[in-house]
Amino acid sequence: MRHRRGGWKLGRNTSHRRALLRNLVTSLILEERIETTVPKAKAMRPHVERMITLGKQGDLAARRHAAAWLMTPESVRKLFDIAPRFGDRSGGYLRIIRSGWRQGDGGEKCFIELLGSEKLQQQKREKRAEARARRAEATKKAMEEAEAQPPAEEGTDKKE
C-alpha cells in the first residue's frame, strides 16, 4: 500500500525525477515563468518554495543549501536577488495558470510563474514586439530594394 507517501513519480526513477525537478526549478528562477505540464508544475512547487525561503534567509548556510540544489551559480545569485520581493509572505510564491492541452498526447499544459514577475514579463513582451517590428521593417525594406533594381538582362550569362 502507498500510505503517507506524498509527491509525484512523473513516470521516472528517482535520479531522473530529481534531475528533472532541479532543472525545472533552476529554469523557473532564471526565467521567472516557464511552460510545463500540470503534474510537473505541482511536483516542483514545494522545491521552489523551499528555495525562496532559503533566499529570504539570506545567510551563507542558506546560500550553500540553495547552491547544492540549483544547477547554476547564476540561478543562485538571481534567487538571492528576487527573494526579498517575497519578504512579507510566508508561502504561496507561485502561480499556476492552465493553458490547454498539448497536441499529440493531450497532456495538460500550464504556465508556472513567480508572483511579482509581471513587470519582467511585460518588458520581455515589449522587447519581442520591438524585435518583430524591426525584422518586419527590414524585410519590407529589402523587398522594396529588390523591386527597385532593374531586372537583369537576359542572354548575358557567360557559358564557356
Side-chain angles (χ1 to χ4, degrees), residues 55-95:
K56 284 169 53 178
Q57 291 173 2
D59 58 354
L60 181 61
R63 187 173 289 269
R64 286 180 176 159
H65 278 289
W69 178 263
L70 296 174
M71 302 293 276
T72 62
E74 182 186 349
S75 63
V76 176
R77 267 183 252 118
K78 178 133 187 201
L79 170 68
F80 282 81
D81 288 343
I82 63 173
R85 186 189 325 164
F86 306 105
D88 57 340
R89 299 182 73 100
S90 60
Y93 310 122
L94 301 173
R95 179 181 302 129

Side-chain angles (χ1 to χ4, degrees), residues 14 17 35 43-45 73 75-76 81 89 108 111 118 132 139 150:
T14 304
R17 185 172 50 247
E35 185 173 17
M44 69 184 279
R45 178 189 287 257
S75 63
V76 176
D81 288 343
R89 299 182 73 100
E108 189 173 9
F111 288 101
E118 294 83 11
R132 202 175 315 125
T139 304

